[in-house]
Amino acid sequence: MSVQRRARGGPAGRPSPAIHENPFDDVLEQVDRAAQVLGLADAEVELLKHPKRQVIVSLPVMMDDGSVQVFTGYRVLHDNTRGPGKGGVRYHPDVDLDEVKALAAWMSWKCALVDVAFGGAKGGVACDPSKLSDGELERLTRRYAAEIFELIGPNLDIPAPDVGTDARVMAWMMDTYSMKRGYVEPGVVTGKPIVLGGSLGREAATGRGIVIVTREALHDLNISLEGARIVVQGFGNVGSNAARLLAEAGATVVAVSDVRGGIYRADGLDIPTLLRYRSEHGTIGGFPGSEPLTNEELLALECDVLVPAALEGQLHEGNAAQIRARLVIEGANGPTTAEADEILRERGIPVVPDIMANSGGVVVSYFEWVQDRYGFFWPEAEVNHRLEEKMVAAYVALRAAIERHDLVRDLRTAAYTVAMQRILEARRLRGLYA
Ligand code: NAD
């Protein structure tokens, strides 16, 4: 496996430094690790190792120059024991079946951990969206939605945005599905524009969830969120909302970064002013009163909380020994490689795993689906209040698993035990059909 493939393919919970060619092997290994903690027999977890459905589709798309290019698309439903499949659609050149299978399984754990009535799914198209015109992107999306039409739907499997896709892509998917059905069906996707049945509060939901999880995890370390020194890597949807809301909650955000580098201010950055500065200048670099620093320097800053909220594989074997945070909160999917996980565990730095830390997004996606289904939309305050309840309940369940299984140094495995137990209990109650 190339470094790039490994970094991209490794979200959520690679338990050992063993290098895997196939990211789905990481899923299998993590399932075994949690099964061992739970004392489960192989036969009990066998079904979790087999996605329910894996589909590959060929997508002929008319390009702007009149040629026809054939793209490959995927949709995997990993598990639907607790509800319809839920998971994003990724547009990226490296998308392949094994990656989509792994991402679908990670969605199963995330939805079970936050206790929303969804199973896990994921999809994607191997393409580089930055090289497609708007028209090509729309035609590709509509053909993909048409090819998986029979597999998706509010009762079956509900796509959402992921890397390389956004609300506009969801609008095209929703329109294609609705045209083929013959009626408007907003609940077929989440992460839609508000005017098409999206939910208030969805955009900031992942960042808001990170604040709740950070507060709970700091509480367990006897550190107050008020005045805690925070470093955020990545200043996109997740990172900028997390930084803004953490500062609003009284924390001191001392450094943030984007792909071009970071900025630091010892007594805290004024995040609302920084957001205005970025929208005017298109960059966070040169923000008055801040000092520049590289992303590597940023990750090594002494702080209470480090929130990697950019990309996969950012905390790795080469830099994990330099991390000087007291707590790591995984804002991105898979920011910590298996090797770094091991090093941080040995160094006693707790890592709150992505399936817990960034699950605010899927919680509000669930709320969006609920609102679409009954056609009545909640005010933002209600969305945020319900998000708080869901996130705290999930953290309470995680905390109980940490204590029960003595996993204070391995929050990732503790989170997996909660998720797997919930899915397996539902399976036992449903029994084996036919
Ligand atoms: P985004 O594209 O809005 O932002 C990504 C940010 O990371 C940008 O500021 C970019 O400049 C920065 N970045 C890219 N490469 C970097 C590097 N090498 N060093 C430092 N910064 C870098 O994406 P997003 O929606 O904020 O998602 C970020 C991560 O969170 C992804 O892993 C995504 O899968 C995950 N996630 C997102 C959501 C959501 O609701 N958006 C939910 C769950 C998980």
Side-chain angles (χ1 to χ4, degrees):
M1 175 186 279
S2 71
V3 170
Q4 190 200 7
R5 183 67 184 80
R6 177 164 172 67
R8 280 185 37 71
R14 280 133 336 136
S16 91
I19 301 274
H20 288 134
E21 283 298 321
N22 174 346
F24 195 67
D25 287 344
D26 295 334
V27 173
L28 304 183
E29 195 173 319
Q30 184 66 59
V31 168
D32 285 338
R33 189 180 175 109
Q36 201 178 0
V37 169
L38 291 169
L40 297 171
D42 287 352
E44 285 179 274
V45 291
E46 188 59 24
L47 259 176
L48 296 180
K49 298 181 175 181
H50 297 271
K52 185 175 166 62
R53 182 167 59 216
Q54 308 169 47
V55 173
I56 303 178
V57 288
S58 295
L59 312 172
V61 175
M62 177 77 75
M63 307 305 280
D64 289 348
D65 65 5
S67 67
V68 173
Q69 199 174 323
V70 182
F71 296 86
T72 304
Y74 306 87
R75 189 75 193 170
V76 171
L77 174 63
H78 172 258
D79 183 79
N80 64 352
T81 311
R82 293 164 39 93
K86 183 82 193 89
V89 175
R90 181 171 287 199
Y91 285 178
H92 190 283
D94 291 348
V95 165
D96 65 18
L97 184 62
D98 289 327
E99 178 180 78
V100 178
K101 277 164 66 183
L103 290 162
W106 285 315
M107 283 306 295
S108 296
W109 319 145
K110 200 181 284 195
C111 292
L113 178 61
V114 290
D115 201 14
V116 293
F118 286 146
K122 204 82 182 189
V125 178
C127 68
D128 183 348
S130 68
K131 299 209 170 104
L132 299 175
S133 69
D134 284 358
E136 289 166 344
L137 197 64
E138 178 174 350
R139 291 192 290 279
L140 171 73
T141 300
R142 288 189 182 280
R143 186 64 188 238
Y144 174 62
E147 292 292 343
I148 62 168
F149 172 69
E150 298 294 349
L151 311 176
I152 59 173
N155 295 315
L156 277 178
D157 179 355
I158 304 124
D162 188 68
V163 174
T165 57
D166 55 15
R168 187 176 58 151
V169 170
M170 290 306 111
W172 290 327
M173 287 193 76
M174 177 272 212
D175 181 70
T176 304
Y177 185 87
S178 298
M179 293 306 290
K180 283 176 71 73
R181 276 273 172 256
Y183 52 85
V184 180
E185 184 51 271
V188 64
V189 291
T190 61
K192 299 178 292 294
I194 302 285
V195 293
L196 294 179
S199 177
L200 293 170
R202 172 62 188 89
E203 206 184 332
T206 308
R208 194 172 291 281
I210 285 173
V211 179
I212 297 164
V213 169
T214 304
R215 183 192 69 210
E216 295 298 313
L218 281 176
H219 176 269
D220 293 347
L221 297 174
N222 286 320
I223 303 170
S224 167
L225 179 57
E226 180 101 33
R229 294 170 67 75
I230 314 262
V231 169
V232 180
Q233 186 208 30
F235 206 61
N237 175 295
V238 177
S240 68
N241 279 303
R244 176 175 64 83
L245 295 165
L246 282 162
E248 262 176 35
T252 305
V253 180
V254 293
V256 301
S257 66
D258 64 16
V259 67
R260 285 180 270 189
I263 53 171
Y264 172 76
R265 186 184 164 108
D267 57 359
L269 295 159
D270 178 347
I271 303 295
T273 309
L274 174 60
L275 286 165
R276 277 196 299 278
Y277 176 89
R278 188 190 50 180
S279 62
E280 281 161 22
H281 297 83
T283 174
I284 57 173
F287 181 56
S290 72
E291 298 165 34
L293 81 180
T294 66
N295 262 298
E296 274 305 299
E297 289 166 339
L298 174 130
L299 293 174
L301 284 172
E302 193 169 352
C303 60
D304 293 307
V305 185
L306 171 63
V307 185
L311 289 179
E312 296 87 344
Q314 293 297 299
L315 309 187
H316 49 74
E317 199 173 14
N319 63 11
Q322 278 84 56
I323 305 297
R324 289 188 295 157
R326 294 164 80 184
L327 173 68
V328 174
I329 301 277
E330 291 190 333
N333 279 318
T336 313
T337 67
E339 294 84 350
D341 230 7
E342 194 72 44
I343 294 167
L344 295 172
R345 217 170 12 241
E346 277 163 17
R347 294 184 58 214
I349 299 175
V351 178
V352 179
D354 42 16
I355 62 166
M356 175 73 251
N358 69 31
S359 56
V362 79
V363 169
V364 177
S365 273
Y366 171 69
F367 295 160
E368 180 175 332
W369 174 78
V370 169
Q371 293 169 80
D372 288 338
R373 279 168 79 95
Y374 68 73
F376 179 73
F377 291 85
W378 308 340
E380 189 168 353
E382 184 170 350
V383 173
N384 293 343
H385 172 70
R386 289 178 187 267
L387 172 64
E388 163 87 23
E389 282 182 343
K390 275 280 180 212
M391 297 300 292
V392 170
Y395 205 89
V396 166
L398 171 61
R399 195 179 274 138
I402 293 166
E403 284 169 16
R404 190 178 322 120
H405 304 299
D406 196 15
L407 286 169
V408 73
R409 290 195 169 218
D410 189 357
L411 276 53
R412 198 181 305 280
T413 298
Y416 276 64
T417 64
V418 177
M420 280 171 48
Q421 263 184 318
R422 287 183 176 163
I423 296 171
L424 290 172
E425 189 194 350
R427 281 226 162 135
R428 272 190 292 271
L429 289 166
R430 285 183 60 167
L432 194 60
Y433 170 72

